[in-house]
Amino acid sequence: MIIHTVEDGDTVYSISKQYGIPASRLVIDNALIPERKLIPGQALLVSKPTRTDVVRGGDSIGSVAERNEISVLSLLQNNPTLSTSELTPSQTLNIRYDKSESKPILVHAYTGAAPDADITKRLPYISILSVQNAARLQNGEVTPMGNRAPLLAAAKKYRVLPLLCIESTDKYGRYGENAVSQILASPNSTERFVQSAVDTAKSGGYGGIEVVLPPASGGDAYRFAELLLAMQSVCDEQGLRLASPWLPFADLAAHILENQIDTADLTPIWSYLWDDEKAAAPVAPYTKTETLLGADFVPKHAAKLLLGIPTFGIDYTKSANGYRKRIVGAGDALLKANAPTLSAKFDEESRTPYVTYTEDEHRFPVEHFLSYEDAHSYFEKLGLVDKFGLGGVSVQSLEHDAPVFWQMLNQRYEIAKY
């Protein structure tokens, strides 16, 4: 696996010729649009499988896997378009990559608002899936929303553990600030919450629960840890896994945070939430994340910690009160940056690419700072997983896709399955 930084004059053809790979592989792995010009400074993943095979007439995914003595799952992981397209004669498929030094990791992801078809496309690369918008927290009790049975069936097919994600949001997606206090108001209200959550998860066919509530403060912070302990006890009895995120912005005392991490089976780290809306900033700055992982308790709990990985970027525009921002997908970011007068730059401190540009809005020039993720930044952030011996990664969220990230993950690690 090689990361190539595009230089002036580079084309898909010249890069593929330089590394001795088919141009189609470069296009697919990096989700490139062939007719678009490459951007100077753009980072591309150059994949070199150790074995390939050519599709024959009458072949199926199953027969190709059997002929090459690999699982269908591995074939799908190595060929990201197979889950959404049919085989064609003479098509070259990637069979194996050199994984002699690979280690197994857990790959967790949030569904976000992605359609089920888009989620299913990424299930071969996922170990644990937090299913959002499947339950509502109302008056301190959890009730199911909608029919997620088809998605859960697909998760089972790909050996993915589905978690019922419980969030205190209203119909507009806004967090309820008093959710924790309401649940912790009395032993009875806490018991109702726990029992309703477990009942909803069990009846819905989930393998576990993730509790995502606004940060508790003061005495509620201690009681929230006790709530997780009570839920863990019931989950253990029912054979369910419990996840609870580490929210760096919550500013909890170290011993309270460690208690919460100690209680849960899995802890996704929301290391992509550093923006204070006062200045343009990368989504997941390397140095701040590295400092966060230097906490004394990290080595003890490393196996259950899952590093937050964003698959989106942020486009900032200056305003009278600082900056306005909008979330952009990785593909959108590159399309916006793809102009003859622009080139991508790489910030060495945050280890994140960015571009700056100006556009006219209603005859007024508006300055933009566009920070996004690419093969280079993903490579650097995955290095933190290895450096601190973390159990894996957590992707936020599947509504913003980044094909290059999934291919890099597949070629670098063995993805654990349930």
Side-chain angles (χ1 to χ4, degrees), residues 212-259:
V212 183
L213 298 178
S217 59
D220 279 352
Y222 289 94
R223 294 164 64 201
F224 182 67
E226 294 174 356
L227 164 66
L228 291 179
L229 188 61
M231 179 164 281
Q232 174 67 352
S233 177
V234 179
C235 284
D236 279 346
E237 293 174 359
Q238 298 295 325
L240 299 173
R241 306 273 288 188
L242 177 64
S244 179
W246 174 358
L247 310 175
F249 57 87
D251 196 26
L252 292 176
H255 67 283
I256 297 177
L257 174 60
E258 185 175 5
N259 283 342

Side-chain angles (χ1 to χ4, degrees), residues 53-65 67-68 86-91 93:
D53 193 6
V54 177
V55 175
R56 308 165 190 173
D59 268 345
S60 65
I61 292 177
S63 67
V64 173
R67 180 167 72 236
N68 289 281
E86 297 182 356
L87 297 181
T88 57
S90 300
Q91 178 182 2
L93 299 179

Side-chain angles (χ1 to χ4, degrees), residues 166-322:
I166 300 172
E167 302 175 273
S168 59
T169 56
D170 60 19
K171 63 181 180 179
Y172 302 106
R174 298 173 300 199
Y175 278 93
E177 296 180 358
N178 66 341
V180 175
S181 297
Q182 186 178 41
I183 292 168
L184 301 176
S186 70
N188 285 341
S189 60
T190 301
E191 184 178 351
R192 281 198 305 273
F193 168 75
V194 171
Q195 197 58 54
S196 64
V198 171
D199 289 346
T200 301
K202 289 290 288 185
S203 63
Y206 294 88
I209 297 170
E210 179 170 3
V211 181
V212 183
L213 298 178
S217 59
D220 279 352
Y222 289 94
R223 294 164 64 201
F224 182 67
E226 294 174 356
L227 164 66
L228 291 179
L229 188 61
M231 179 164 281
Q232 174 67 352
S233 177
V234 179
C235 284
D236 279 346
E237 293 174 359
Q238 298 295 325
L240 299 173
R241 306 273 288 188
L242 177 64
S244 179
W246 174 358
L247 310 175
F249 57 87
D251 196 26
L252 292 176
H255 67 283
I256 297 177
L257 174 60
E258 185 175 5
N259 283 342
Q260 294 184 11
I261 293 173
D262 189 47
T263 302
D265 295 307
L266 299 163
T267 301
I269 306 172
W270 287 23
S271 47
Y272 35 76
L273 292 177
W274 298 100
D275 175 31
D276 61 6
E277 299 189 0
K278 296 179 181 178
V283 179
Y286 183 96
T287 49
K288 288 187 177 182
T289 305
E290 186 178 37
T291 300
L292 184 77
L293 295 174
D296 292 340
F297 58 78
V298 165
K300 177 182 176 182
H301 302 286
K304 66 170 67 174
L305 298 179
L306 310 175
L307 181 65
I309 300 287
T311 51
F312 56 88
I314 301 182
D315 190 4
Y316 292 89
T317 55
K318 284 187 176 181
S319 68
N321 299 320

Side-chain angles (χ1 to χ4, degrees), residues 4-237:
H4 176 88
T5 301
V6 174
E7 298 179 353
D8 285 326
D10 275 351
T11 65
V12 169
Y13 176 75
S14 68
I15 296 172
S16 60
K17 185 177 180 181
Q18 177 182 343
Y19 293 102
I21 64 171
S24 59
R25 182 174 299 143
L26 198 66
V27 169
I28 291 172
D29 285 351
N30 293 278
L32 300 176
I33 301 176
E35 61 270 20
R36 285 193 174 270
K37 182 181 177 181
L38 297 177
I39 307 164
Q42 180 179 353
L44 299 178
L45 173 65
V46 179
S47 304
K48 288 196 169 187
T50 57
R51 181 174 174 181
T52 60
D53 193 6
V54 177
V55 175
R56 308 165 190 173
D59 268 345
S60 65
I61 292 177
S63 67
V64 173
E66 183 178 3
R67 180 167 72 236
N68 289 281
E69 300 180 332
I70 63 170
S71 66
V72 168
L73 180 60
S74 293
L75 189 62
L76 293 174
Q77 290 172 337
N78 294 337
N79 300 273
T81 62
L82 280 190
S83 61
T84 56
S85 63
E86 297 182 356
L87 297 181
T88 57
S90 300
Q91 178 182 2
T92 299
L93 299 179
N94 305 323
I95 301 301
R96 286 193 179 88
Y97 290 95
D98 181 8
K99 292 190 175 185
S100 57
E101 298 182 2
S102 298
K103 70 172 187 177
I105 66 167
L106 292 170
V107 180
H108 167 264
Y110 293 94
T111 60
D116 283 3
D118 290 350
I119 299 170
T120 301
K121 180 174 66 174
R122 294 304 172 205
L123 290 179
Y125 305 97
I126 294 172
S127 315
I128 306 155
L129 182 70
S130 284
V131 182
Q132 297 173 290
N133 307 312
R136 175 177 295 166
L137 176 59
Q138 196 168 24
N139 299 323
E141 294 192 30
V142 179
T143 55
M145 293 171 55
N147 176 23
R148 305 313 295 268
L151 178 60
L152 297 187
K156 182 178 180 181
K157 174 183 175 182
Y158 290 105
R159 296 165 50 204
V160 174
L161 179 72
L163 304 180
L164 175 68
C165 191
I166 300 172
E167 302 175 273
S168 59
T169 56
D170 60 19
K171 63 181 180 179
Y172 302 106
R174 298 173 300 199
Y175 278 93
E177 296 180 358
N178 66 341
V180 175
S181 297
Q182 186 178 41
I183 292 168
L184 301 176
S186 70
N188 285 341
S189 60
T190 301
E191 184 178 351
R192 281 198 305 273
F193 168 75
V194 171
Q195 197 58 54
S196 64
V198 171
D199 289 346
T200 301
K202 289 290 288 185
S203 63
Y206 294 88
I209 297 170
E210 179 170 3
V211 181
V212 183
L213 298 178
S217 59
D220 279 352
Y222 289 94
R223 294 164 64 201
F224 182 67
E226 294 174 356
L227 164 66
L228 291 179
L229 188 61
M231 179 164 281
Q232 174 67 352
S233 177
V234 179
C235 284
D236 279 346
E237 293 174 359

